[in-house]
Every structure is written in structure tokens, then in C-alpha cells.
Amino acid sequence: MKRKVLIIGIGAGNPDYVTIQAVNALNQVDVFFIPDKGVEKEQLSRIRREICERFIRDHEYRMVDFETPVRHKPSSTYRSSVEDWHDKVEATYAHLLMEELGDDECGAFLVWGDPSLYDSTLRILDRLNAKGGFELEYDVIPGISSIQALTAKHKVVLNRIGESITITTGRKLEEGFPNNSESIVVMLDGEGAFRNIKEDVDIYWGAYVGTEDEILLSGRLRDVVDEIERLRNVARERKGWIMDTYLLKRTGEK
């Protein structure tokens, strides 16, 4: 028994971010697996569908909606809660591949941004592949991440000359601004960890980057922190969820 799957990065919200390689891949797919993350995030499903409608030509395909397992807040450790969540996602993916995809069909997961950056699709498929049960063949199509979209919108370079970049999460940033970093990209910050930064830094912030709801703000962190927090709260109240990314740079040359 063999299954073929494409993991296609569709960029950060704007259909114009979809690459030619991704368009070619879309036109090979028979079955698209579309995650259902609830009413609050139905916009994400809608954009996936719009991308298919816009770029697929003269090719029959169908869409299979599936309910995305919820990751609960950790009752013990963060890693164990992620492992529990991955177990549930793995079971869901196994069902989709076995029951919804034929031997001669090509399936696809449309991944927001880029599949290699803070997304678990590849990890889950690797786990399924290691367990056996069926032969799994898959290819990965890169996409434009929210990081790239964010820096393009703000017209700023990620790194300083000769310096490195740190990409981290809000949970890790709560431990403080790394001493050996000049530029930090922060993703998955549900609690606004930037409020705890005491260093003199500039922030380049964006929410829903690439979508029709995009919000952008930049400046000295201490000058704009209250406004960013206000914008986040208003947006979360209006949409029911917030998806933002930001770049922190020690104040100085860009």
C-alpha cells in the first residue's frame, strides 16, 4: 500500500505569495486535506480554498475537511503536552491517508508560510513513515514565511552586517533578550512577551501579515509597546484570535 503526499507552503496569507513551484504542485493534487480550526479561524480555510480556485486549471480535485486536534495548555511540561498533541494529529493524518486517499491519487497539505518553520506537518509524516503500515512518499514545496513578509512590509533587513539572527518563540523570549543576539524574530507569542524586554531595542511588528486584516507598527519598543498591546487586544476581540510576528533589533544601525 502506497500513499503520495505533497506538503505545499502557500505563503503568509496573500495568494500573490504563492510560488510558481507551488502552483505547479497544486495542479498535481487529487485530494486536499483542509484543517478545520473552528469558526474563529475559518478565514485560514477560506484562503486555502481561494488559492486552489485561483491557481488550479483543468484538473479535477476534491477537498477533505478534517477537525484539527486541539493542543491543551500543559498540565505537566510543555514538551509532554506537545507530544500528546502530536499523537492525536498523527492518528488523524493516518486516517486521512488510509481512508481518504487512493493508491493512485496524490494528496496535499497546504501549510501556512513555510513547512520547515514552526509547523509540525513534516514531523508527523516522519513519525508515520517510521511506523510503517504503508509506504509514504512525500515532497516539500517551500513557501514565503511570515518573517519574509514582515521584513518586506517594514523594508528592513533581518540581520546586521556580520551578525547572526535568532528565531524564537514568545515562551522562550520570556527568559529575556539573549545576550549574544542583535536581531531576534519572535513567533507564536500569545501573551505579548515583548512587554518584559528591558533592553533598548527597536520593534517591527505585524499581525495577520499578508492578509486583508494586516496591521503593522514599528518604532522604539518602549515608545510603541502600549500601542501594540492595544492593537493586539482590539484585533483579538474582533476576530477571536491573533496571529502576529515581530522582529526585535538592538537600537543602532539597521
Side-chain angles (χ1 to χ4, degrees):
M1 190 175 295
K2 185 175 182 178
R3 294 293 184 268
K4 181 178 180 180
V5 180
L6 299 178
I7 302 95
I8 305 174
I10 57 173
N14 188 337
D16 288 344
Y17 292 160
V18 176
T19 67
I20 297 298
Q21 185 185 20
V23 171
N24 291 335
L26 290 170
N27 281 274
Q28 300 175 34
V29 176
D30 301 297
V31 184
F32 291 94
F33 301 117
I34 307 297
D36 179 0
K37 297 189 176 183
V39 175
E40 291 179 346
K41 292 188 177 180
E42 64 181 348
Q43 179 187 15
L44 304 183
S45 295
R46 175 176 58 80
I47 292 175
R48 286 180 168 93
R49 295 176 188 277
E50 289 176 356
I51 285 172
C52 291
E53 292 170 1
R54 175 172 172 178
F55 293 114
I56 297 177
R57 295 289 181 265
D58 303 320
H59 181 74
E60 293 292 331
Y61 64 90
R62 68 181 188 276
M63 294 189 171
V64 175
D65 297 312
F66 68 95
E67 188 173 340
T68 305
V70 177
R71 181 170 68 84
H72 300 288
K73 291 188 176 181
S75 56
S76 52
T77 66
Y78 172 78
R79 185 167 291 275
S80 65
S81 71
V82 171
E83 284 296 323
D84 290 342
W85 175 51
H86 281 180
D87 287 342
K88 296 174 183 176
V89 177
E90 180 184 331
T92 299
Y93 282 15
H95 172 79
L96 291 172
L97 297 177
M98 292 294 292
E99 303 298 330
E100 301 290 350
L101 189 64
D103 291 341
D104 59 346
E105 291 184 316
C106 177
F109 293 95
L110 304 182
V111 175
W112 205 260
D114 183 87
S116 69
L117 187 60
Y118 286 108
D119 183 83
S120 296
T121 305
L122 290 177
R123 292 190 183 93
I124 302 303
L125 292 179
D126 281 341
R127 287 170 54 151
L128 281 173
N129 219 11
K131 285 186 175 180
F134 57 89
E135 184 181 352
L136 180 59
E137 174 189 342
Y138 62 90
D139 291 314
V140 182
I141 312 301
I144 293 176
S145 70
S146 60
I147 298 172
Q148 295 162 285
L150 177 76
T151 53
K153 292 288 186 175
H154 281 294
K155 303 177 184 178
V156 63
V157 179
L158 268 176
N159 66 296
R160 294 204 173 105
I161 295 175
E163 299 291 344
S164 60
I165 308 161
T166 297
I167 300 177
T168 189
T169 65
R171 185 177 61 86
K172 296 295 291 185
L173 187 67
E174 290 177 352
E175 300 172 5
F177 199 103
N179 292 328
N180 60 346
S181 297
E182 296 293 325
S183 302
I184 300 178
V185 174
V186 184
M187 305 180 73
L188 305 178
D189 183 6
E191 305 301 326
F194 53 81
R195 293 192 304 262
N196 303 319
I197 300 300
K198 306 304 180 185
E199 285 84 352
D200 192 15
V201 298
D202 295 322
I203 185 169
Y204 302 86
W205 174 81
Y208 318 111
V209 177
T211 74
E212 59 193 15
D213 299 308
E214 178 180 271
I215 313 170
L216 300 169
L217 188 63
S218 65
R220 193 69 58 87
L221 177 59
R222 62 170 175 254
D223 295 334
V224 299
V225 61
D226 291 339
E227 178 63 5
I228 290 176
E229 188 165 13
R230 186 190 71 80
L231 289 172
R232 290 179 94 245
N233 291 337
V234 169
R236 195 197 299 270
E237 178 68 24
R238 178 171 59 88
K239 291 181 68 67
W241 56 283
I242 184 78
M243 184 167 62
D244 60 346
T245 306
Y246 54 92
L247 168 66
L248 296 174
K249 281 176 167 281
R250 293 188 188 277
T251 302
E253 293 183 3
K254 294 184 178 181

